[in-house]
Structures are given as structure tokens and as C-alpha cells.
Amino acid sequence: MPQLRQDPIAGYWVVIATERAKRPHTFTQAPKEHTKPGRECPFCEGNERMTPAEVIAYRKPGSTPDSPGWYLRVVPNLYPAFGPAEGSLYPHQVGMYAVMQALGVHEVIIDGPDHHNDLGSLSVEQVATVVKAYVERYLAHKDNPIIKYILIIVNHGQEAGASREHPHSQLFGTPLVPAMIEQELAGTKLYQQKTGRCVYCAMLEEELQLGDRLIYENGSFVAFAPYASRVPFEMWILPRHHSSHFEVINEMQRYLFAESLHAVLGKLQQGLNDPPFNLYIHTTPCHDEAGGVYHWHVEILPKLSIAAGFELGSGIMINTATPESAAEFLCSIPI
Amino acid sequence: MPQLRQDPIAGYWVVIATERAKRPHTFTQAPKEHTKPGRECPFCEGNERMTPAEVIAYRKPGSTPDSPGWYLRVVPNLYPAFGPAEGSLYPHQVGMYAVMQALGVHEVIIDGPDHHNDLGSLSVEQVATVVKAYVERYLAHKDNPIIKYILIIVNHGQEAGASREHPHSQLFGTPLVPAMIEQELAGTKLYQQKTGRCVYCAMLEEELQLGDRLIYENGSFVAFAPYASRVPFEMWILPRHHSSHFEVINEMQRYLFAESLHAVLGKLQQGLNDPPFNLYIHTTPCHDEAGGVYHWHVEILPKLSIAAGFELGSGIMINTATPESAAEFLCSIPI
């Protein structure tokens, strides 16, 4: 019989539809056509003039901005969803409706010059370089009074909304704290009040003890399939020890974080033949007064199903794979 | 510059990304392959034995259940997300996690024997027959103490999650009130407390007065593109006069409701070459004690974009078409 499972943080319910459950390997993707590196890709080396001028880049000594010789580039999004990062939000009413300027930032982090290898197939060193750029750009924006939250995301594959195949990440600085974060913060605070504990720490303890949803662990990070997984092969990566702010990650942790990203995305890629996915980092809002209560983490949502009328109209996801079978399958994939 | 617009009911924010805004006609779909009616379609006439036994059907006199001769059939979903509709929910904890049985109902309403014509291209009479079935099945389940909410939806097109092309609707009876409904109810109650008015009635008044987001109206229903449209060509259909419960619709209103569905879906189909969409009816929960405060309505979300990492991680949708341009375009399509 189908089961309704509840996420203990944000409180959402998920149907684990065992009646329509599929075996993990049935989610394996058909081979797909890849775009070619080179002339038409604005993120490939040599095409630097096809993007706006770079904000920062990690470069070989002697190379000059907006020219070849880089390991990683950050450029403003050509069609920003948020921006600029200064001015007045001008919140006002239009009749009965509230509106404001979508000030903020929207940057593209080009993960490397390689057109094909992404976070799951680059070297751990290169992934650590990408994480370094995440932190650097986070720090560059976090004190801007306009920016209330910084969301770092990865879209991989066309079905997951990636408009470019060349591996890249995006950083959004928003002038409000997004609803998803507000919900998780509220849930975290409530759990703290009730039990005196961090809900994410409690979850880590439980998952490490049970083990049947664990996917990967190293000295500083643990990855598992959450009990109330919304989609097949949903994965979370949490710092093993309580940590509220992503941007304070030190060099050693950054390397171990890169290792965990590389491992779980590599398993996904190899296990299911490079499926599309969305990934985001959830951390404490900028200028947070309460501080310390939240536990930053990564959520990875493979795009192997479609949120249809029921999901959109109810907010309840129907998941046709159990997290336990997904974790078992991913554990069996060597990295 | 991009704008952040807020929905006045549930309170969600939407980015109207004018920088990346597209002209309405650019959303026109490429021609697609259609599946064939007949042997392989379990919803076609003559294949009644391919579905579970029908729950109800509207039939020609003299025809027998689960055989040809029907105008509309309702069958249980072969792989229900919710069910059965009796027994114990058995809510309990698994370690720190809450879980219960997903009791309820999950039915498929086969809109008619025609494999190709859907709500936008069937006759208004046939659409009114579909609405009649919605009401009849709603009433059949609403007093079941297990069922707290009944959600009626339509998925049209593969990209919108429709697993069958043959036009059909689905009815879900859920053992809890979905979060989306809780949010809208809370917003409706808050607005009522603040202003003494129904927020949907206020919105209708404003939209009818302004006119630039109106798409269609008749004596009993008004369709418009909401100010905080989450996706290109989002459309809402509201009863013109306050009405909290969908299922009390009378025969005349049912016909006018069918006319409005037929009109807006026909415009969408003709204007954009049959795009995929999701549709759902939001109404007052079953066994609602407060009663009367909510205003039932339909929300239609064409699937012309992908909710990617930013949207999933924030809950903020980025919409690349303004509702004003979408409404203008749809108004220009004759029906």
C-alpha cells in the first residue's frame, strides 16, 4: 500500500507509491546526443568574448582577463533574473498586488574549460576549485544590504532546465529570504524548542545508525537518501558536525565537501547513465540575527519524473522509488 | 528590470523576468506525433477490459457495464497513489519520522470515447458531461471520514506528465488537507479578517475593472492571467459570484463552467499549437467546519518551462512571459 511520509523539517508530505514503484535500474537513461565543444559554446576556452566580462577567474600565471588560460571563470548572467545589486527595491502596491524590483545578483560559475566533464566526473581537485569559487562569490555579496539570501545551484541536463551543456553553476542573490528557506528555518527552530537539538543533527545520527539510506560518508560529510524523498534518487549531503554557515567552510572541509559531491554525483552518473538533476545549497540567510540554529546542506533532485497536476495542485509529491532501494542501488556503484 | 510580484492569497513571490521575456508566439509548440486510437489504448471504446471495472459510466440505453456504448467512464487507477478508501491510517513514528498509510481514492475519468479531442476541442456539451462526472464522483466520496480533501486534475501532454494521450481527468481523495490548500485557506482567512472581504472576490473586481489580464468571461465565470503568474500563460477560472464549494454547482452553472473551460483551453490549444498543461480545481476541504470563506476556482499551468534548481531550492518561480502579454495574445485567438 502507498505510504505518506513526512519531512521532519519543512513538514511536507510525500507519497511513496509502492504500488507503482519501479526497480532502481529502470530509471537508467537512454544514450543521448551531446553538444560539441568549441565555436558555438560561450563557456568554452577561446570564446570568452561571447560572455559578459568575467567577474573573477582562476587563471594560469600571465594570462589576461577574458582570454584563454583559465581553470574557472565567473561571469554575470547575460539575462539576469535578479539585478542590479544596488538601488531601491521600491516595494509598492499595484491595486491590491504587492510588487518590488528584483534587485540582486545572478552569476554564472563556469566550472572549468572542459565542455563535457561535470562535478561527478571532473577531478576532486577541480571540484574543490569550483567550491572555492562558490565561497569566494558568496563572501563577495553577503554584506550587501540588498541581498537577503544567496542560493547556489547546479542544473545538469536539458530536462533539468540547463540551457547550456557546458558544466556550470549559478549564484543568485535575492532581496528576500525565499519561502523554502523560511520554512526550513521555522522547522529547525521548532524542533530546537521542542527537543533542544538540531533536527539535521538528529537526522544524521538516525541515518548513520540505521544505515539503510546512507549513500556515502567521509570525515566531514554524510550523504543519504532522505526518508521523505520527493523524487527518485533524491540525495542530501550534510556536514557531519553542526555548521550553520556554508561560507565558513575551511580548506580541508572544502576538499572533503568536493570529494562528497564528486562521489555522489559520480555514482548517479555511472549508475543511471548521466541523468539530469538539480542541485542547490541551503544555508543560513545573510544578515541572520538568530544565527547558529540552521545546519547548511546540499539537496540533489534527479529529474527522472514530472511534477504534474496532483503535485502542483497539492504540494504533495508522488515518488515511485523508495529511498531505501535508491540508496542500496547507489551504494552498489563503485566510485 | 526584473520584477518580484506577490500572490495576494498564498503569499508566494514570482520573478517576472522582463530581461529574458519572450514574445507570446515564441511559445508555440512544434508539431508532434500523436498516438493512434484503437487496439493499444485502454481508454478507447472496445478496450474496456484493459481497465479495472468501471465505477460509473454514462451510457447509451441498453449498453452494459465495461463494454462499448459509453459517453464517459470512471475507473479506479490501476496503480493508485492513494487507496483503499477504508481502514486505519495507522499514523506512527519510524524513529524520528512520521508516516501513515496513504488511504484514499484515485480514480480516472475518461473524458469520452474520442482518442484525440480534449476539453478544449470537445463540444461544450461533452465538457459539461465531464464536469457532471467530476461533481458526481466528488459527492460519492466527500462524506467518507477518511477523505479530507478531493483534488480533481487534468494532465495534458507527455511533458505535463500525462502517461496516456487519450483525454482523461483524475480524482484524488487524500487523507489530509494538502499544504497548498492550507496555505490558500490561511491567506483567504487573513484577508477576510483584515478587510472583511473575500480575496478572490476582490481580485475578480480588480481584474474586471483593469481588463488587461482578462482572457474570457461569461455570465457565471471569469478567466484571467493572475498578476503573479508562475509560468507563461497561467490562467485561473473563478466563479463570478462568491462560491466556496465546487460540488454545489447547479446545472446551468455547470454548463457555463464547461463553456469557460472549453473557451480558455481552446484558445491555448489554437494559439500555441496544443501545448502541454496541468489543470486542477481548488475547493473547500471536505468536512470543513469554518465553511464559506474560500472561493473555489481552477488553475491552469501550461508546461512551457522547467522548474529548475533556483525554483526548486527557493520556491520562487521565474516566469519569462508577462501575464499581460499572455492575456493579450490569448484574447486575440478566436473561439
Side-chain angles (χ1 to χ4, degrees):
Chain A
M1 283 210 316
Q3 251 185 2
L4 271 162
R5 295 185 177 187
Q6 188 175 31
D7 172 72
I9 304 138
Y12 54 76
W13 290 90
V14 168
V15 177
I16 305 289
T18 49
E19 301 288 310
R20 40 168 82 180
K22 296 177 187 164
R23 298 290 308 147
H25 66 85
T26 59
F27 289 100
T28 302
Q29 302 292 292
K32 52 180 154 282
E33 295 252 330
H34 289 280
T35 61
K36 288 200 179 121
R39 200 177 294 184
E40 288 177 14
C41 174
F43 297 167
C44 272
E45 208 169 6
N47 297 344
E48 292 77 10
R49 83 209 107 67
M50 289 170 75
T51 68
E54 65 197 36
V55 177
I56 61 158
Y58 303 148
R59 301 189 148 274
K60 289 173 194 155
S63 69
T64 54
D66 298 314
S67 67
W70 47 276
Y71 306 107
L72 181 146
R73 290 178 83 218
V74 179
V75 299
N77 193 300
L78 196 56
Y79 302 106
F82 295 90
E86 54 183 12
S88 166
L89 286 171
Y90 184 46
H92 62 290
Q93 293 285 125
V94 174
M96 68 182 286
Y97 304 113
V99 59
M100 60 180 168
Q101 299 302 312
L103 299 184
V105 290
H106 187 179
E107 293 179 343
V108 177
I109 295 141
I110 306 168
D111 294 347
D114 190 324
H115 186 80
H116 291 301
N117 286 317
D118 77 326
L119 300 177
S121 46
L122 287 168
S123 69
V124 175
E125 284 69 22
Q126 183 67 17
V127 179
T129 304
V130 173
V131 176
K132 187 181 168 194
Y134 290 174
V135 174
E136 187 174 341
R137 295 315 297 159
Y138 193 104
L139 294 173
H141 298 299
K142 88 178 191 36
D143 293 325
N144 183 331
I146 280 171
I147 293 171
K148 301 294 186 291
Y149 194 77
I150 297 172
L151 185 66
I152 294 166
I153 68 125
V154 178
N155 297 330
H156 176 82
Q158 214 178 337
E159 302 90 335
S163 52
R164 300 267 167 216
E165 189 172 5
H166 192 123
H168 64 285
S169 312
Q170 296 180 67
L171 179 148
F172 295 82
T174 61
L176 46 78
V177 179
M180 289 291 194
I181 303 299
E182 294 280 20
Q183 269 175 36
E184 290 186 12
L185 280 173
T188 307
K189 284 172 188 165
L190 192 68
Y191 195 90
Q192 186 89 35
Q193 282 162 14
K194 276 194 199 163
T195 67
R197 293 197 68 186
C198 163
V199 62
Y200 291 97
C201 288
M203 200 183 267
L204 268 178
E205 191 181 293
E206 183 136 332
E207 295 302 333
L208 285 165
Q209 203 165 18
L210 283 172
D212 62 341
R213 284 181 293 270
L214 275 187
I215 295 166
Y216 172 85
E217 56 178 314
N218 64 29
S220 289
F221 291 88
V222 179
F224 60 87
Y227 179 75
S229 285
R230 291 161 289 184
V231 297
F233 297 91
E234 178 168 350
M235 302 189 282
W236 290 9
I237 305 174
L238 268 67
R240 190 184 277 273
H241 304 292
H242 188 79
S243 172
S244 55
H245 289 70
F246 161 69
E247 72 274 19
V248 303
I249 195 169
N250 68 27
E251 202 177 326
M252 177 62 180
Q253 290 165 339
R254 200 171 72 214
Y255 189 89
L256 289 167
F257 178 46
E259 201 176 71
S260 68
L261 278 172
H262 179 263
V264 303
L265 293 174
K267 279 170 177 284
L268 192 67
Q269 192 171 56
Q270 287 168 52
L272 298 178
N273 194 25
D274 194 24
F277 66 82
N278 301 109
L279 175 157
Y280 48 83
I281 300 177
H282 273 179
T283 185
T284 300
C286 311
H287 329 293
D288 187 65
E289 306 299 319
V293 69
Y294 195 63
H295 191 130
W296 80 265
H297 64 279
V298 167
E299 301 185 8
I300 299 165
L301 298 166
K303 188 81 174 200
L304 300 162
S305 54
I306 294 169
F310 177 76
E311 288 87 346
L312 297 172
S314 69
I316 301 168
M317 299 294 284
I318 299 174
N319 181 355
T320 55
T322 68
E324 294 78 16
S325 66
E328 189 186 2
F329 177 79
L330 291 172
C331 281
S332 75
I333 309 295
I335 37 151
Chain B
M1 284 211 313
Q3 251 186 5
L4 271 162
R5 295 185 178 188
Q6 188 175 31
D7 172 72
I9 305 137
Y12 55 77
W13 289 90
V14 167
V15 177
I16 304 291
T18 48
E19 302 287 307
R20 41 169 81 182
K22 295 176 186 162
R23 299 288 311 147
H25 65 86
T26 60
F27 289 99
T28 303
Q29 302 291 292
K32 50 181 158 285
E33 295 253 326
H34 289 281
T35 61
K36 288 200 179 123
R39 201 177 294 186
E40 289 176 14
C41 174
F43 297 167
C44 272
E45 207 167 9
N47 297 345
E48 291 77 12
R49 86 210 104 66
M50 290 170 74
T51 68
E54 66 197 36
V55 178
I56 61 157
Y58 302 150
R59 304 189 145 274
K60 288 173 195 155
S63 68
T64 55
D66 297 315
S67 67
W70 48 276
Y71 306 107
L72 180 144
R73 290 179 82 217
V74 179
V75 299
N77 194 300
L78 196 54
Y79 301 106
F82 294 90
E86 53 184 11
S88 167
L89 286 171
Y90 185 45
H92 62 289
Q93 292 286 125
V94 175
M96 69 182 286
Y97 304 114
V99 59
M100 59 180 169
Q101 300 303 314
L103 300 184
V105 290
H106 187 178
E107 293 179 343
V108 177
I109 294 140
I110 306 168
D111 295 347
D114 190 324
H115 186 80
H116 291 301
N117 286 317
D118 78 326
L119 301 177
S121 46
L122 287 168
S123 68
V124 174
E125 284 69 21
Q126 182 68 15
V127 179
T129 303
V130 173
V131 176
K132 187 181 167 196
Y134 290 174
V135 174
E136 187 173 343
R137 296 314 297 158
Y138 193 104
L139 293 173
H141 298 299
K142 88 176 193 31
D143 293 324
N144 183 330
I146 280 173
I147 294 171
K148 300 295 186 290
Y149 193 77
I150 296 172
L151 184 66
I152 294 166
I153 68 128
V154 178
N155 296 330
H156 177 82
Q158 214 177 338
E159 302 92 333
S163 52
R164 300 267 166 215
E165 189 171 4
H166 192 122
H168 64 286
S169 312
Q170 295 180 66
L171 178 147
F172 296 81
T174 62
L176 45 76
V177 179
M180 290 292 195
I181 302 300
E182 293 281 20
Q183 269 175 37
E184 289 184 14
L185 278 174
T188 307
K189 283 172 189 165
L190 193 68
Y191 196 90
Q192 185 90 33
Q193 281 160 14
K194 275 193 198 163
T195 67
R197 291 196 70 186
C198 163
V199 63
Y200 291 98
C201 288
M203 198 183 268
L204 268 178
E205 189 181 296
E206 184 137 331
E207 295 302 334
L208 285 165
Q209 201 164 20
L210 283 172
D212 62 343
R213 285 181 292 270
L214 275 187
I215 295 166
Y216 172 85
E217 56 178 314
N218 63 31
S220 289
F221 291 88
V222 178
F224 59 88
Y227 179 75
S229 286
R230 291 161 290 183
V231 296
F233 298 92
E234 179 170 348
M235 302 189 282
W236 291 8
I237 305 174
L238 268 67
R240 190 184 277 273
H241 304 294
H242 188 79
S243 170
S244 54
H245 290 69
F246 161 69
E247 73 272 21
V248 302
I249 195 170
N250 67 28
E251 201 177 326
M252 178 63 180
Q253 288 165 339
R254 199 171 72 215
Y255 189 90
L256 289 167
F257 178 46
E259 198 176 72
S260 68
L261 278 172
H262 179 263
V264 303
L265 293 174
K267 279 170 176 283
L268 192 67
Q269 190 171 58
Q270 287 168 51
L272 298 177
N273 195 25
D274 194 23
F277 66 82
N278 300 110
L279 175 157
Y280 48 82
I281 300 176
H282 273 179
T283 185
T284 300
C286 311
H287 329 293
D288 187 66
E289 306 299 318
V293 69
Y294 195 63
H295 192 132
W296 80 266
H297 63 281
V298 168
E299 301 185 9
I300 299 165
L301 298 166
K303 187 83 174 199
L304 300 162
S305 54
I306 294 170
F310 178 75
E311 288 87 345
L312 297 172
S314 70
I316 300 169
M317 299 294 286
I318 300 174
N319 181 356
T320 55
T322 67
E324 294 78 15
S325 67
E328 189 187 1
F329 177 80
L330 291 172
C331 281
S332 75
I333 308 295
I335 40 151

